[in-house]
Amino acid sequence: MNTPDTRPALQALNALYARRAPIYDYELMPVAPLRREAIAALELAPGQTVLDIGAGTGLSLPELSRALGPTGRIVAVEPCETMMRLARQRARTNHLDTPVDYLPTTAEDAPYASALDTRRADAALFFFTHDVLQSLEAVERALAALKPGARIVAAGLAWAPPWMPMSNCFVLGAAMHSILRMEGLDCPWRHLEARMANAEVERRWLASAYLLKGRR
Ligand SMILES: C[S@@+](CC[C@H](N)C(=O)[O-])C[C@H]1O[C@@H](n2cnc3c(N)ncnc32)[C@H](O)[C@@H]1O
């Protein structure tokens, strides 16, 4: 489990997201179209199981539930207690009919095997989870919980090419406000892409964001 020695960032993470939680949904409103696109790219079918890694306040839960229906399942991983509380609240107030397993821990520590009853998941969503994607341990653990051929979708901030300085000013401001690990913004998807078959990366928002989709 987390210890101050191995996870010095955990306290910082909790502080950052506990502070952002009350206004988080408003901040993320402009991101809604990209979220819909990312969830559609998961190609979910009723009855399937999806991992929502770094689930935050659960903004993806209603759309995921619409795709999965009552026989599906969502495994939501979120270490920040305040964000997780808001995710649970959202699931209740939206009367989600898909069961949600909440794993209140980091993606490095998530007990997927027990949450999935040793079965594996059909898809994984990493939506604006830069800090998770920079952790090889977190990525490998999540991929191990997926079936072969499972759909994987990630989206988030990335440096635009150097000849697009306005885009990069936006990325810098947004990243300083929202992530702990500034490294890897040139290619945030590198750990995932190296472990996927035929990953496709498309750029969005004047190249300041990306959408990665493919299969395990
Ligand atoms: C920018 S928010 C995105 C939340 C959500 N995916 C969404 O679409 O709104 C990033 C989330 O990742 C979580 N996070 C950061 N590091 C994590 C880690 N190592 N494991 C799991 N979640 C993490 C944060 O607590 C935060 O809730």
Side-chain angles (χ1 to χ4, degrees):
M1 291 302 287
N2 300 309
T3 68
D5 294 329
T6 56
R7 303 289 149 71
L10 191 58
Q11 272 189 326
L13 183 157
N14 269 305
L16 172 65
Y17 283 101
R19 192 174 66 240
R20 287 186 70 195
I23 50 160
Y24 183 81
D25 290 2
Y26 298 104
E27 289 182 347
L28 268 278
M29 273 179 176
V31 180
L34 182 55
R35 182 186 305 280
R36 281 195 294 276
E37 195 181 357
I39 293 174
L42 287 169
E43 299 176 4
L44 296 171
Q48 289 190 328
T49 296
V50 64
L51 311 181
D52 184 5
I53 298 170
T57 61
L59 281 167
S60 297
L61 295 180
E63 191 84 14
L64 292 172
S65 174
R66 268 190 285 281
L68 297 168
T71 56
R73 195 161 177 190
I74 302 169
V75 178
V77 181
E78 174 53 53
C80 173
E81 200 184 315
T82 317
M83 297 290 268
M84 183 62 106
R85 183 157 30 81
L86 295 173
R88 288 177 187 272
Q89 200 174 304
R90 184 186 311 280
R92 274 196 307 274
T93 54
N94 282 264
H95 303 291
L96 295 195
D97 57 2
T98 309
V100 184
D101 290 296
Y102 298 95
L103 305 185
T105 181
T106 63
E108 289 87 342
D109 289 323
Y112 294 113
S114 55
L116 295 168
D117 305 327
T118 72
R119 285 175 297 134
R120 289 200 268 174
D122 301 282
L125 177 64
F126 299 85
F127 196 82
F128 282 73
T129 55
H130 182 80
D131 293 318
V132 177
L133 291 178
Q134 300 323 297
S135 161
L136 184 55
E137 195 184 350
V139 167
E140 288 191 330
R141 195 172 181 87
L143 296 200
L146 295 176
K147 292 176 182 165
R151 290 288 293 171
I152 297 170
V153 174
L157 298 167
W159 291 131
W163 57 88
M164 300 180 79
M166 293 311 289
S167 292
N168 282 325
C169 282
F170 168 75
V171 175
L172 180 62
M176 286 179 67
H177 173 67
S178 63
I179 67 181
L180 294 168
R181 299 172 69 162
M182 292 294 283
E183 75 270 16
L185 278 166
D186 54 329
C187 186
W189 53 84
R190 65 162 66 81
H191 291 323
L192 266 185
E193 187 183 31
R195 289 157 183 81
M196 288 169 63
N198 57 33
E200 292 168 33
V201 180
E202 297 167 9
R203 301 307 292 259
R204 295 288 185 274
W205 305 351
L206 297 174
S208 58
Y210 70 93
L211 177 67
L212 167 143
K213 42 194 172 178
R215 293 188 183 277
R216 178 177 182 267

